[in-house]
Amino acid sequence: MALQFALLDGRRHDRLGFACGIAVLDEYLRRLASQHQRDGIATTHVLTDDTQPARILGYCSLAAAQLRLDDLQPGDRKRLPAYPVPCVRLARLAVTRDVQGKGIGRLLLGHALNCALAMRANVGVRLLVVGAKDARAASFYAGFGFRSTAEAGNTLYLPLGKP
Ligand SMILES: CC(C)(COP(=O)(O)OP(=O)(O)OC[C@H]1O[C@@H](n2cnc3c(N)ncnc32)[C@H](O)[C@@H]1OP(=O)(O)O)[C@@H](O)C(=O)NCCC(=O)NCCS
């Protein structure tokens, strides 16, 4: 079994078979992800296994975004210009139910981070940002070093460091 990341391809990937337990995340993959990818709104990256290449184990969607400088914690604002801070938004992350808890979410998060770092080689990007849907999801991201924005809420960010 070899795991691989690919951009969502509706002809190759079985979107209907994906079920993570959160209806809006399943629906997004089924109904909107391909359209958003075509329209330049978000890209969706899927993780599959070469023994069942159509089966989507998990996915993440990425889009360009920005945070206000004031959203960052004071220590993270140092030396930054007084402009909105360019980010990659991890717009969605989900793992299909029967493989949850096996490290797939961690792999997808690593992939999202690698995509943000690769983008940074050509376009200014300072943060990977995520809007966690609830406190439980926020604790998942906090476990990987994401920091809460200065304002209370479930937006978290991860500084990308220096290249
Ligand atoms: C949340 C989700 C993406 C995690 O993916 P996963 O493959 O099950 O997680 P992993 O096995 O990679 O776990 C990685 C770490 O996160 C922790 N973790 C997993 N799910 C968690 C959750 N819901 N809350 C807090 N921590 C969680 C694990 O304990 C593990 O930590 P450890 O290595 O210290 O043990 C997945 O369970 C899922 O799709 N859930 C439904 C959709 C959802 O809630 N998405 C988040 C949207 S904001």
Side-chain angles (χ1 to χ4, degrees):
M1 158 170 157
L3 297 175
Q4 51 203 19
F5 290 102
L7 281 176
L8 175 65
D9 178 344
R11 290 160 304 180
R12 286 200 292 137
H13 300 127
D14 172 21
R15 291 167 290 178
L16 289 177
F18 184 88
C20 74
I22 309 274
V24 289
L25 293 172
D26 298 344
E27 285 297 303
Y28 179 79
L29 186 64
R30 285 172 199 168
R31 297 188 193 284
L32 283 173
S34 292
Q35 189 184 325
H36 281 184
Q37 194 155 278
R38 271 195 309 274
D39 292 347
I41 300 301
T43 53
T44 291
H45 302 245
V46 299
L47 185 64
T48 59
D49 157 11
D50 66 348
T51 62
Q52 284 178 280
R55 182 181 179 223
I56 299 172
L57 301 174
Y59 80 90
C60 62
S61 298
L62 300 175
Q66 60 183 33
L67 281 186
R68 291 178 305 131
L69 187 61
D70 288 350
D71 287 333
L72 272 56
Q73 295 183 9
D76 293 325
R77 294 178 205 160
K78 283 184 194 155
R79 291 187 300 279
L80 295 188
Y83 307 138
V85 185
C87 310
V88 169
R89 179 178 298 282
L90 177 53
R92 285 173 186 79
L93 171 72
V95 174
T96 204
R97 221 176 215 163
D98 50 353
V99 294
Q100 286 178 6
K102 296 179 191 292
I104 304 286
R106 175 188 296 272
L107 288 177
L108 285 161
L109 198 50
H111 179 72
L113 186 56
N114 284 338
C115 289
L117 289 168
M119 188 174 154
R120 186 182 163 129
N122 290 305
V123 178
V125 181
R126 178 77 186 182
L127 310 167
L128 181 61
V129 63
V130 64
K133 65 175 179 51
D134 55 26
R136 198 158 160 264
S139 81
F140 170 78
Y141 294 112
F144 291 98
F146 279 74
R147 303 168 190 177
S148 299
T149 47
E151 207 171 278
N154 281 335
T155 301
L156 296 97
Y157 67 88
L158 187 70
L160 294 177
K162 297 188 173 63

